[in-house]
Amino acid sequence: MPDEMCQGGAPQGLLQKDQELEELSTVSLQNLEHTLAGPVQDDGRRHASRAADARLVDILRVDNFQGPRYEKTTTRLMEYGWLTINKWTGTGEIFVQARRAGRPVPVHMTSPDWDADARSEVATETVVAGLDLFLEHGLIRGKWNPDGGASLATYFVGASIRSFRTVYTRWFRGVQAGQAELDLPPADPDGAPADRDIPDQRATDPFYAAATHDEIKRILPYITDTEVRRGLALRALGYTQQQAAAEVGLTEKALEGRIGRLRARILSDLAEKSDLGEGGAR
């Protein structure tokens, strides 16, 4: 039974988040920690690391989970989460992890024909959605704790894994809809289908991962507006613009305006840096 929201219906985000929260068990987090960090070799170092994470969360709580320190911390976590999720989309491990988390992707969707750009897009939307889950449950509700079986970074990846299915199934169905149109090539004047020499988009660029990593590092710091970041996360989870705006306490027009200004600023800044990098100012 598909769990996605029906188009035009009310979001099930709050219900889904509560269900996802229940899946963040100590055992599942310990297994994920083992996958990400390997076998624990030094209990002393592990406890010291957890204690440092706990102190950081206490500091962020004093800041009400906003401001420069919060943004720096979440940018670092999102970068780590993106690198992990993006790697797993290439190996197929993300489908294994989603199934282990109790959020399995339908079997017929687990062999996607996607290139590096598509995987990057899905990974980015997944960690943005994961941030919303991580903030609300892990930090605000205090569900993460140093004795819960995982580091703060592992808990964030766990939240992203639990957000993956909704993001991915929406992307998959969008691709299917687009492909249905592409599978109908126009006929030539004689009535025969026109052959097109289309290059293979699935070829792997050896520099792609490094380039995308750099791009993510440049883009994430721009999303410093808490309402915008949460709004984008809710949109990635399937909320409409109106529903996302209501959740973050803004009007639909206000949220749309903030997102529009953010996009314009990113595009302008990245374009300027790109021009300067191609031979200096002109």
Side-chain angles (χ1 to χ4, degrees):
M1 176 179 178
D3 73 306
E4 302 83 36
M5 289 168 273
C6 298
Q7 293 185 352
Q12 300 178 16
L14 296 179
L15 175 60
Q16 289 178 349
K17 290 176 192 173
D18 288 338
Q19 292 172 339
E20 290 158 357
L21 176 61
E22 295 303 319
E23 295 157 8
L24 295 172
S25 67
T26 298
V27 173
S28 65
L29 286 171
Q30 287 175 339
N31 290 336
L32 182 58
E33 181 91 345
H34 185 277
T35 298
L36 293 171
V40 175
Q41 298 178 347
D42 188 332
D43 285 342
R45 291 178 60 184
R46 181 189 63 185
H47 291 310
S49 177
R50 298 294 181 279
D53 280 349
R55 288 194 297 272
L56 175 60
V57 171
D58 288 339
I59 292 171
L60 298 181
R61 183 172 288 108
V62 171
D63 292 342
N64 198 28
F65 301 116
Q66 56 187 327
R69 288 186 290 198
Y70 172 76
E71 300 302 338
K72 182 178 180 180
T73 299
T74 53
T75 295
R76 174 176 55 83
L77 290 172
M78 290 178 77
E79 181 185 344
Y80 173 70
W82 183 89
L83 289 170
T84 302
I85 299 298
N86 191 60
K87 176 182 177 181
W88 284 350
T89 61
T91 63
E93 178 68 19
I94 186 59
F95 299 107
V96 176
Q97 292 295 331
R99 185 173 66 251
R100 289 176 179 172
R103 304 285 291 164
V105 173
V107 176
H108 72 279
M109 295 184 180
T110 57
S111 298
D113 183 14
W114 54 1
D115 58 17
D117 286 328
R119 293 192 291 105
S120 173
E121 174 188 344
V122 171
T124 300
E125 288 198 23
T126 297
V127 297
V128 170
L131 176 62
D132 183 57
L133 188 65
F134 171 79
L135 171 61
E136 182 173 340
H137 294 299
L139 299 184
I140 294 176
R141 298 191 186 184
K143 297 302 180 179
W144 177 85
N145 70 81
D147 300 318
S151 67
L152 206 58
T154 295
Y155 194 98
F156 179 84
V157 173
S160 297
I161 291 171
R162 286 158 178 79
S163 302
F164 174 74
R165 180 171 67 178
T166 300
V167 172
Y168 174 78
T169 52
R170 186 176 66 254
W171 170 85
F172 186 90
R173 286 172 176 162
V175 170
Q176 282 188 318
Q179 191 61 49
E181 297 180 2
L182 293 176
D183 287 341
L184 299 173
D188 65 17
D190 297 326
D195 292 330
R196 297 187 178 183
D197 187 13
I198 302 176
D200 185 0
Q201 298 295 317
R202 292 169 293 177
T204 302
D205 181 347
F207 299 104
Y208 183 85
T212 304
H213 178 199
D214 181 64
E215 181 181 358
I216 291 296
K217 288 181 67 176
R218 287 185 295 166
I219 290 176
L220 289 180
Y222 284 94
I223 315 178
T224 57
D225 187 315
T226 303
E227 285 83 6
V228 169
R229 182 169 275 185
R230 288 201 64 223
L232 289 172
L234 292 169
R235 293 284 285 136
L237 285 171
Y239 284 59
T240 66
Q241 187 90 312
Q242 182 180 25
Q243 291 161 348
E247 285 290 326
V248 301
L250 297 173
T251 65
E252 181 179 2
K253 186 174 181 179
L255 179 59
E256 181 179 355
R258 291 194 193 185
I259 292 175
R261 288 190 292 273
L262 171 67
R263 287 172 176 163
R265 187 166 72 251
I266 292 174
L267 290 174
S268 175
D269 189 66
L270 294 183
E272 180 180 348
K273 290 180 179 179
S274 177
D275 288 342
L276 291 175
E278 294 175 358
R282 297 176 182 175

